[in-house]
Amino acid sequence: MEFDCFLHQKKTLLVLLSSKELKVITQNFSSSNFLGESGFGPVYKGFIDDKMRPWLKAQLVSVKLLDLDGSQGHKEWLK
């Protein structure tokens, strides 16, 4: 899936990962990968290596874990 990224004025690829893949890239949401807290819940750093998806470059990513009891609403999550 592609979408326009107005900040960089180019097409950006949106990659959907399974919950299993998210656990792998964050080392099961390890506390050593904890970056901080948002209104939606905790944020972790992760690393996608080039073996996970052959067409995807190895890269660092951030993963936001939704806290269903958090202070932000569903509408804001989708933004």
Side-chain angles (χ1 to χ4, degrees):
M1 180 184 306
E2 288 187 356
F3 65 97
D4 290 321
C5 180
F6 297 106
L7 181 62
H8 299 291
Q9 299 296 316
K10 64 180 182 177
K11 294 280 185 184
T12 302
L13 183 65
L14 176 63
V15 179
L16 302 177
L17 300 173
S18 70
S19 58
K20 183 178 178 179
E21 289 171 317
L22 292 174
K23 286 180 181 179
V24 168
I25 67 174
T26 62
Q27 298 172 323
N28 204 25
F29 297 100
S30 168
S31 59
S32 65
N33 288 329
F34 179 75
L35 294 175
E37 193 82 25
S38 75
F40 297 106
V43 180
Y44 296 86
K45 73 177 174 185
F47 182 74
I48 298 176
D49 67 24
D50 53 4
K51 294 174 186 74
M52 181 172 281
R53 305 278 171 93
W55 45 268
L56 191 59
K57 284 194 259 181
Q59 58 190 300
L60 286 172
V61 297
S62 61
V63 177
K64 193 180 293 188
L65 188 61
L66 178 61
D67 176 2
L68 296 175
D69 297 322
S71 60
Q72 297 285 323
H74 181 74
K75 189 184 341 181
E76 290 88 1
W77 175 260
L78 295 175
K79 289 184 179 182

